[in-house]
Amino acid sequence: MTKILKDTYGRTIDYLRISITDHCNLRCIYCVTDNISWVPHEEILRFEEIAKIVRVLVEEGIRKIRITGGEPLLRKGLPDFISQISGLKGVEDLSVTTNGVLLHRLARDLKQAGLKRINVSLDTFKPERYKTITGRDFFHQVWKGIQTAREVGLSPVKINIVAMKGYNEDEILDFVRLTLEDPYVVRFIEYMPVNEKWNDNDFLSVQKIKEVIESVYPLVPIDGTHNNGPARVFQVPGARGEIGLISPLSNHFCGTCNRIRLTADGHFRPCLFSDTEIDIKTPLRNGGDETVIKNLLFETLRLKPKQHHLQTISAPKCHRGMWSIGG
Ligand code: SAM
């Protein structure tokens, strides 16, 4: 019988986001703080530990899995891990979120390992601006990665853009144009207050982004075709691709939240924006069996808050950075 996981508020929880490393090869202004301290190697969950946790969670009702980080493509052995997870009965959707820097090298192996689709974070088409935002000169490499992903048949390729006033708002329409001829799904995500670098002045609402797009292109709401999660999805009539708008701040989607997270250092995290965490690594390394994992999963569901309070409490909101939680 298929099991369904529910939290205290009756929400179905079927989505697990796994951060497999806290390391990243970029230093994005909105993500990484100046005083980063990496988790020591031995404190990071091993792939076999993650796979053990995932097996139990999938048996209990998790259906969708996203591999993230840090930068997940930095972790050696990722394709083998993907093939373990993609082969699990009960996993209906498996995806990876990457900055794309190493994608040109790994896209084919990931596809062969059973990955079907991929999300690539890219905030600008301008190489110089890319350097300003990410601290690194990898724009051309990322673009090559995106093209390789399409060539090997990862589909859809979603492009995630953190939209920020004064940084990339003038490129909104360039991203939209990308969807006209090619089947990209471009998703504009509101800048979220995850650390002390948060600055109210940089915030650009999804409403504003939509206005900019609609000043030039009509937008038709569609159901979307590819596991859109919290994105509201639109299309320019006749376009091959889609446009997603994600508004964690201006219009939160906590009421339909279906996710929990597993951090790279082995903690369940019920909500991205709450620092409550449940240690799973210690019990696991002390010999904890499937029942222990199951009980910690239920505890995670019990602690999942009704909603985040980003709108009501002043920033910053998380003590861990996104690179460590897994955005
Ligand atoms: N390294 C991978 C990547 O770049 O996609 C995965 C991890 S990254 C933390 C996941 C996503 O979080 C990226 O799309 C990134 O742009 C987004 N992100 C990080 N900090 C953010 C912030 N303050 N507001 C909105 N999105 C953020």
Side-chain angles (χ1 to χ4, degrees):
M1 201 183 65
T2 315
K3 292 187 186 171
I4 295 178
L5 283 169
K6 293 270 183 191
D7 74 358
T8 327
Y9 301 98
R11 293 171 294 201
T12 299
I13 306 299
D14 60 1
Y15 183 14
L16 174 69
R17 294 174 73 103
I18 308 170
S19 171
I20 58 168
T21 177
D22 62 335
H23 279 62
C24 192
N25 40 6
L26 298 183
R27 295 290 179 272
C28 298
I29 41 175
Y30 47 72
C31 184
V32 177
T33 47
D34 297 327
N35 51 344
I36 322 168
S37 56
W38 305 117
V39 176
H41 181 69
E42 62 280 9
E43 296 303 325
I44 298 288
L45 284 183
R46 297 187 288 272
F47 275 144
E48 58 269 29
E49 292 172 322
I50 303 176
K52 184 172 176 180
I53 295 170
V54 168
R55 275 196 294 275
V56 174
L57 268 54
V58 169
E59 264 168 36
E60 291 305 309
I62 291 294
R63 296 282 165 264
K64 302 176 199 169
I65 295 176
R66 174 172 301 280
I67 312 293
T68 178
E71 173 44 39
L73 271 55
L74 281 175
R75 181 129 182 209
K76 285 206 184 77
L78 177 61
D80 284 347
F81 176 65
I82 293 279
S83 60
Q84 281 185 52
I85 304 294
S86 65
L88 278 182
K89 192 164 166 277
V91 175
E92 292 168 6
D93 182 48
L94 172 64
S95 52
V96 168
T97 297
T98 172
N99 60 30
V101 172
L102 298 174
L103 191 54
H104 64 293
R105 285 197 220 145
L106 282 163
R108 194 168 299 278
D109 290 349
L110 293 174
K111 171 75 178 158
Q112 279 169 1
L115 189 71
K116 296 200 168 52
R117 65 191 189 89
I118 197 147
N119 286 20
V120 184
S121 306
L122 180 67
D123 304 322
T124 176
F125 290 121
K126 301 184 181 190
E128 273 308 308
R129 186 175 283 179
Y130 183 89
K131 239 197 270 182
T132 307
I133 295 176
T134 68
R136 300 289 185 270
D137 190 9
F138 288 141
F139 171 78
H140 295 288
Q141 207 165 303
V142 174
W143 189 244
K144 188 170 163 196
I146 288 174
Q147 287 170 323
T148 311
R150 285 191 57 202
E151 278 159 28
V152 302
L154 288 169
S155 174
V157 174
K158 297 189 184 182
I159 300 184
N160 288 346
I161 306 132
V162 178
M164 296 170 82
K165 220 186 257 175
Y167 284 93
N168 56 3
E169 62 183 321
D170 57 334
E171 293 188 70
I172 293 171
L173 293 173
D174 295 334
F175 278 103
V176 169
R177 284 185 199 106
L178 201 61
T179 69
L180 301 181
E181 301 293 329
D182 291 309
Y184 291 108
V185 179
V186 303
R187 309 186 332 146
F188 296 97
I189 304 169
E190 283 176 352
Y191 171 35
M192 297 182 281
V194 292
N195 62 31
E196 74 277 2
K197 290 204 175 165
W198 166 258
N199 181 346
D200 279 332
N201 298 329
D202 299 335
F203 180 72
L204 188 61
S205 72
V206 147
Q207 187 51 39
K208 178 72 191 152
I209 295 167
K210 191 160 176 275
E211 279 168 30
V212 171
I213 301 173
E214 286 183 320
S215 69
V216 177
Y217 296 106
L219 280 183
V220 180
I222 55 169
D223 282 343
T225 42
H226 325 281
N227 289 296
N228 297 299
R232 285 186 299 139
V233 188
F234 301 85
Q235 203 165 34
V236 175
R240 292 186 66 203
E242 298 171 6
I243 298 159
L245 300 177
I246 304 178
S247 51
L249 223 61
S250 65
N251 184 13
H252 71 76
F253 29 79
C254 304
T256 53
C257 185
N258 60 346
R259 58 186 67 178
I260 55 172
R261 292 179 149 78
L262 178 62
T263 64
D265 64 350
H267 292 76
F268 282 136
R269 189 162 171 121
C271 169
L272 174 62
F273 295 111
S274 154
D275 282 318
T276 303
E277 293 186 348
I278 296 95
D279 178 9
I280 175 127
K281 180 180 60 202
T282 309
L284 200 63
R285 291 190 178 172
N286 287 337
D289 62 4
E290 290 173 7
T291 308
V292 170
I293 298 173
K294 227 187 274 186
N295 287 340
L296 290 170
L297 166 67
F298 295 145
E299 177 68 357
T300 305
L301 298 191
R302 195 182 66 73
L303 291 171
K304 193 167 168 60
K306 189 170 181 195
Q307 68 175 72
H308 68 64
H309 297 282
L310 287 179
Q311 299 92 337
T312 51
I313 303 170
S314 62
K317 312 301 178 189
C318 305
H319 290 107
R320 278 183 194 257
M322 286 280 260
W323 74 92
S324 152
I325 304 165

